Amino acid sequence: MAEENPVVTSVRQRFPDAVLGADEFRGQTTILLRKEDLIQVCQFLRDDPDLKFDTLLDVTVVDWLPEEPRFEVVYHLRSLPRQGFLRLKVLADGNDPRVPTVSPVWPTANWHERETFDMFGIIFEGHPNLARILMPDDWQGHPLRKDHPLGYEEVAFTHNAEEIFSRKPRPRE
């Protein structure tokens, strides 16, 4: 269980109020944190000589629409010296999704957080340059949110190819 995991134990001992939950599934440990404690916990995970989570691999989001809090911001960490992985999660409300930036802890977060902002609209407070990175600057909305309108063309399969290819193109709006 995650409760017996030494990383979870270390974080709980150092930050008793920060950990909202911990889980272990198929050998992967996840810690759910209060977002107010995210920076301090991340610095501890990076700097503690017994942990040394020196690499941020990824930042992403799970959109739980219509649930509230709607978003889970997920951080995947790697300890190269200890050969370990860790997943951190913090929750963000759907109306005003804000979490602190971890770019002062791991500089690579700069790009990961910009991508997450662009695709999901999560505001990373304190980020040095929170601007779009994938979508055009004038793009409206955040395309990976579950409530973003779909704008796709019908796929041609054997059963409908003739119908699709015989249609006249729709005028662009």
Side-chain angles (χ1 to χ4, degrees):
M1 293 306 253
E3 301 303 324
E4 300 167 8
N5 183 295
V7 176
V8 176
T9 301
S10 294
V11 173
R12 280 192 193 276
Q13 287 174 346
R14 181 74 184 267
F15 305 96
D17 296 330
V19 178
L20 299 176
D23 187 30
E24 192 158 328
F25 182 71
R26 295 187 178 178
Q28 296 183 2
T29 303
T30 303
I31 302 175
L32 177 63
L33 297 171
R34 291 186 331 163
K35 65 181 171 183
E36 300 83 24
D37 299 308
L38 178 65
I39 301 301
Q40 296 87 343
V41 172
C42 289
Q43 288 171 336
F44 171 71
L45 290 168
R46 180 196 65 192
D47 297 339
D48 186 273
D50 294 328
L51 302 175
K52 294 187 179 181
F53 283 95
D54 51 2
T55 306
L56 174 68
L57 299 173
D58 184 38
V59 178
T60 190
V61 172
V62 179
D63 184 350
W64 290 106
L65 183 74
E67 303 293 324
E68 272 302 330
R70 177 177 172 179
F71 299 107
E72 273 181 352
V73 183
V74 183
Y75 303 84
H76 295 104
L77 309 179
R78 171 87 163 131
S79 172
L80 293 172
R82 303 285 182 227
Q83 299 297 307
F85 292 93
L86 179 66
R87 180 182 302 117
L88 300 177
K89 292 182 179 181
V90 293
L91 302 174
D93 295 329
N95 293 331
D96 189 23
R98 295 177 177 272
V99 298
T101 182
V102 297
S103 59
V105 181
W106 297 289
T108 188
N110 185 324
W111 290 77
H112 294 304
E113 290 175 347
R114 285 182 63 190
E115 180 180 356
T116 304
F117 162 72
D118 202 1
M119 297 290 102
F120 289 96
I122 306 297
I123 305 296
F124 291 92
E125 294 177 322
H127 191 280
N129 182 24
L130 196 60
R132 290 199 180 269
I133 193 169
L134 298 172
M135 304 304 291
D137 289 337
D138 61 348
W139 186 268
Q140 297 296 313
H142 305 281
L144 292 184
R145 283 187 173 196
K146 286 187 176 180
D147 57 357
H148 189 76
L150 298 176
Y152 59 87
E153 294 184 25
E154 192 174 349
V155 177
F157 293 102
T158 311
H159 74 278
N160 67 350
E162 187 176 316
E163 174 191 340
I164 289 174
F165 292 125
S166 66
R167 293 184 196 160
K168 293 184 181 183
R170 287 185 289 173
R172 298 264 180 195
E173 295 177 6

